[in-house]
Amino acid sequence: HSLDKFLAFKSLQSVIIVISDDNKMHLSDRIKNNPLVHFVSEGNNRKTSIYNALKSFSNVNNEDNILIHDAVRPLISHQDIKVILLSMNQNEAATLCCPITETLIKNNTPLDRKDIIAIQTPQAFKYLTILKAHEKFKEVNSFTDDAGLVRANGGHVELITARNPNIKITTS
């Protein structure tokens, strides 16, 4: 589980898992009974689900680091989580990324892949930074990740190249 990689960090104060009630019943008792793990019901889309999770935090400070990770990236490494957390000492937001290695074509024209990267999770934010971005774009559902919200809100998102494979196991 990628959850175990995050729980290994002693500085972790809380984990919020956004999950449907149907899927929650399939979780192990070890996860359900962990005092650091809390659950929030999923929203109608990814962005609403994340916003619900952000609003559910208790005792959070504006400068606290929030990491958002997709369960569809189960190969996240401890090392990559550590690097993104360390980057938050100097940044308001950061995301894992990786260079594109495939040939990309748009309208039958090859794109120069040296200028293109794939954005991944986890993504890290100061709590107030990500909360304000979500609130500003609450009615806009075209964002595919939270770093895009922060960029659209005028924020800088530090790009951290993943050192280990962090594939996405879905196609959407």
Side-chain angles (χ1 to χ4, degrees):
H1 285 119
S2 54
L3 177 61
D4 291 328
K5 305 275 177 58
F6 289 92
L7 290 173
F9 286 86
K10 301 301 178 206
S11 60
L12 184 78
Q13 295 176 5
S14 179
V15 172
I16 295 177
I17 297 176
V18 178
I19 192 167
S20 69
D21 290 336
D22 290 341
N23 285 331
K24 186 177 176 184
M25 30 184 259
H26 299 294
L27 294 176
S28 71
D29 287 340
R30 179 183 66 85
I31 295 171
K32 290 180 195 173
N33 297 327
N34 186 316
L36 292 177
V37 177
H38 308 279
F39 301 94
V40 172
S41 294
E42 64 185 353
N44 293 334
N45 55 51
R46 181 188 186 283
K47 191 165 75 59
T48 302
S49 295
I50 299 296
Y51 182 70
N52 291 346
L54 291 170
K55 295 299 287 182
S56 76
F57 278 106
S58 60
N59 299 323
V60 65
N61 296 312
N62 289 341
E63 293 300 309
D64 284 348
N65 293 327
I66 304 296
L67 274 74
I68 298 172
H69 185 65
D70 297 322
V72 297
R73 291 189 185 275
L75 301 180
I76 184 63
S77 72
H78 181 89
Q79 180 182 11
D80 282 337
I81 297 169
K82 183 177 179 179
V83 170
I84 201 165
L85 281 171
L86 287 172
S87 78
M88 292 304 291
N89 291 329
Q90 294 89 29
N91 296 292
E92 291 289 310
T95 186
L96 279 186
C97 65
C98 71
I100 296 295
T101 57
E102 292 86 0
T103 298
L104 300 175
I105 296 180
K106 180 177 181 179
N107 298 326
N108 214 23
T109 303
L111 299 176
D112 189 350
R113 65 183 174 204
K114 74 175 173 45
D115 296 326
I116 300 172
I117 58 169
I119 299 298
Q120 301 181 341
T121 64
Q123 297 181 341
F125 309 93
K126 298 299 182 190
Y127 178 73
L128 188 60
T129 299
I130 190 60
L131 182 66
K132 282 185 172 182
H134 268 271
E135 289 177 344
K136 180 174 182 179
F137 297 103
K138 193 171 184 178
E139 302 302 321
V140 181
N141 291 317
S142 58
F143 292 94
T144 58
D145 75 325
D146 298 280
L149 283 165
V150 170
R151 282 191 301 275
N153 200 33
H156 169 74
V157 179
E158 188 70 17
L159 300 174
I160 309 293
T161 301
R163 296 186 170 139
N164 296 287
N166 188 23
I167 63 166
K168 187 175 182 181
I169 59 172
T170 65
T171 57
S172 58

